Amino acid sequence: MKHSATYIALFIVLFASQANAQQEPMYSQYYFNNSVINPAQAGALGANEVGVLVRTQWLGINGAPQTLSAYGNFILPKQLGIAVGLYQDQVGVETNQHLQADLSYHLRLVENWYLSGGLRVIASHYKADFSQVPNVDPNNPAFQTDYSSGLLVNTGFGFLAYNGKTFIGASMPKAFTRVVG
């Protein structure tokens, strides 16, 4: 088993043509804003709700991760639900901002069970302020410019079967990304 892991790791390193990394916002408080995980949750809670959440990690450390979110989840007529959210995630010199909108349709299956499907659109912006990074060489060009992603548009979808106490769902909250500008 020990050798298998070594061979797999070696295979990945030798044959990987491209690797990407990302810092996604931390959603440990998704219990309060279920639509963050699954767009089919929009309007599924049986009541309209609005909220603001703040998550700060490692208090007292400069550049520590912080996530701010404001959201609304609403029931619409004709078995529709809508959820909107504004999120900002900051880690060190990096800032991610997202504006999210979900629309879902809720279909009654039997007396207490519903099936919903939801679609999501997200507009995002990423920025890295490298000029804020302390460095020993003030002439280093890597730390003299900032990076901005421009406008990124992403779509997603999800499905949910639920009653008053049980939720069973599957989603792909970020399926297709396009750079707009």
Side-chain angles (χ1 to χ4, degrees):
M1 184 68 173
K2 187 179 197 181
H3 296 293
S4 297
T6 304
Y7 291 131
I8 291 171
L10 183 61
F11 178 80
I12 290 171
V13 169
L14 291 176
F15 294 103
S17 62
Q18 180 179 357
N20 294 312
Q22 59 192 12
Q23 170 66 32
E24 288 293 319
M26 184 64 78
Y27 296 122
S28 66
Q29 298 170 333
Y30 67 88
Y31 178 78
F32 299 106
N33 183 9
N34 296 325
S35 67
V36 160
I37 306 297
N38 189 339
Q41 289 273 7
L45 298 178
N48 295 331
E49 63 179 359
V50 175
V52 175
L53 299 171
V54 177
R55 178 182 181 176
T56 303
Q57 300 179 75
W58 311 331
L59 291 173
I61 296 177
N62 194 18
Q66 182 180 49
T67 301
L68 309 171
S69 63
Y71 65 92
N73 192 338
F74 306 100
I75 300 169
L76 297 177
K78 299 187 180 182
Q79 299 172 284
L80 294 173
I82 189 168
V84 293
L86 182 60
Y87 308 99
Q88 177 173 303
D89 195 50
Q90 188 159 5
V91 180
V93 298
E94 297 180 333
T95 302
N96 281 302
Q97 296 172 326
H98 307 280
L99 174 61
Q100 169 187 316
D102 301 335
L103 181 67
S104 66
Y105 180 76
H106 303 270
L107 176 67
R108 183 183 215 154
L109 297 175
V110 292
E111 185 178 334
N112 293 328
W113 280 92
Y114 294 86
L115 177 67
S116 68
L119 298 174
R120 166 171 294 163
V121 175
I122 303 173
S124 301
H125 179 260
Y126 169 83
K127 179 183 175 191
D129 188 5
F130 293 120
S131 64
Q132 299 299 315
V133 176
N135 70 68
V136 258
D137 183 7
N139 296 320
N140 186 340
F143 293 100
Q144 293 177 351
T145 58
D146 296 336
Y147 174 78
S148 177
S149 68
L151 180 63
L152 303 173
V153 176
N154 203 315
T155 58
F157 60 92
F159 299 97
L160 182 69
Y162 65 96
N163 66 14
K165 297 179 182 179
T166 305
F167 292 84
I168 302 167
S171 68
M172 183 175 260
K174 292 184 177 180
F176 308 103
T177 301
R178 295 284 180 252
V179 177
V180 175

